[in-house]
Structure formats: structure tokens, C-alpha cells
Amino acid sequence: SVLKVDTIQNSSGTDAIAQSQLALVVDQYYMTTDTSNTQTPITAWTRTADNFSAIGGGMSVSSGLFTFPRTGMYKVYFHVTYDENGGGSDNNINAIIIGTSDNFSTTFNAAAIQTNITSGNTRSNATIMAFFNCSDTSNDKIRFDISSQSNAQFGTSSRYTMCSFERIGDAV
């Protein structure tokens, strides 16, 4: 069976699903270079290629600054994998989603996590998520920062450090 519909309306005759809410965006990037240094922002990103193609035009990235393809409310994920890089501990490992509404003249922490490694040769990971309202694609942007107190290694093997974007509705 095939159901073909031009418009779905509620009982008052208005559209039940706004056309702009159907404008999906889904995209995913991963970090391409291992680092044991603070990266503000991470600049080595590439779009995930295996069995994936961005939906809705996808994000664009330049020098670690991500630009949204259209306005809307987005769910932004940042997954970081790190290890102690040979021994010791690190009590201050940070992953931050940084947002701006003025093209990075000023910034705010959209989401952040601070964690640690308590013994040598240990690998761990963290995932953070933020809702981000993009009402102006020229000025509303995102970047991802990582840092450590001593010598944490942030990994790229098997795409261990990655970010993803999903448009979930209209801008507010």
C-alpha cells in the first residue's frame, strides 16, 4: 500500500506539522590527529565517510569552527577518548562545547565536563551533549575544546574523538 499526502492538518485546518520542522540536518565528524596538547579549538576534523552521508546539507568546518547550514534548534554531541600516555595520573581533563552568537567575538560554554585518570596507562572516555539554538547562521557557531593538566593523550584511532549534530526543530 502507498499513502500519498500533500498536507496533514489538525481539526482547525492548520498544518499539524510545520514544513520547517521537516528540514532535517544530521552530520558527524571525527578528530584526525592524536594530540596530547590543549586544543582550543580542535582543528583537525573530517566528516565520517563510511556508510554515511550528511543529511540536509551538513555542517561546514573551518579552522575548527563549525557553521550550521540552516537555522534551528540542534542537539550537539561531543565524545572524547583519552589515556594517560605512559603513566601517572591526570586530575584535570576537560572537554567543552563552546558556543557563540557573535562569530566568536564572545563565547559561552554550551556544555562541559571535567574528569580524571587516576593511574597510568588507563584509557577512558566522556560524552557531553548540548542543545544549541541557531537563529543566525553567520554568527551562531560551535567549536570543541580539549585540555589536560599534565599529559593526557586524546585519541583518534577508530574515531575515538568525534562530534555529531542533529537539527531537532525550529530556532526559538
Side-chain angles (χ1 to χ4, degrees), residues 17-153:
I17 300 173
Q19 184 65 29
S20 61
Q21 290 181 331
L22 300 176
L24 297 176
V25 174
V26 177
D27 209 350
Q28 186 171 354
Y29 285 77
Y30 65 93
M31 191 173 80
T32 59
T33 304
D34 284 338
T35 184
S36 58
N37 300 318
T38 295
Q39 299 287 307
T40 57
I42 300 170
T43 57
W45 292 106
T46 192
R47 180 173 278 127
T48 301
D50 300 334
N51 298 315
F52 178 82
S53 181
I55 297 170
M59 303 291 291
S60 61
V61 60
S62 176
S63 301
L65 309 179
F66 285 86
T67 300
F68 295 89
R70 62 175 50 103
T71 61
M73 180 65 69
Y74 286 80
K75 193 184 296 187
V76 180
Y77 286 95
F78 185 27
H79 180 80
V80 179
T81 299
Y82 48 89
D83 62 45
E84 188 43 41
N85 199 23
S89 63
D90 194 328
N91 294 321
N92 190 6
I93 297 170
N94 300 288
I96 309 170
I97 301 173
I98 304 286
T100 185
S101 60
D102 57 12
N103 201 26
F104 289 101
S105 291
T106 61
T107 62
F108 58 89
N109 288 358
I113 190 167
Q114 185 177 73
T115 186
N116 62 33
I117 296 174
T118 57
S119 63
N121 296 315
T122 302
R123 176 172 286 163
S124 192
N125 59 67
T127 301
I128 55 177
M129 188 276 297
F131 291 107
F132 187 81
N133 185 50
C134 176
S135 59
D136 178 350
T137 58
S138 296
N139 290 306
D140 297 343
K141 299 182 181 188
I142 288 283
R143 77 177 200 222
F144 300 92
D145 293 2
I146 52 177
S147 65
S148 72
Q149 179 179 341
S150 56
N151 197 28
Q153 175 81 29

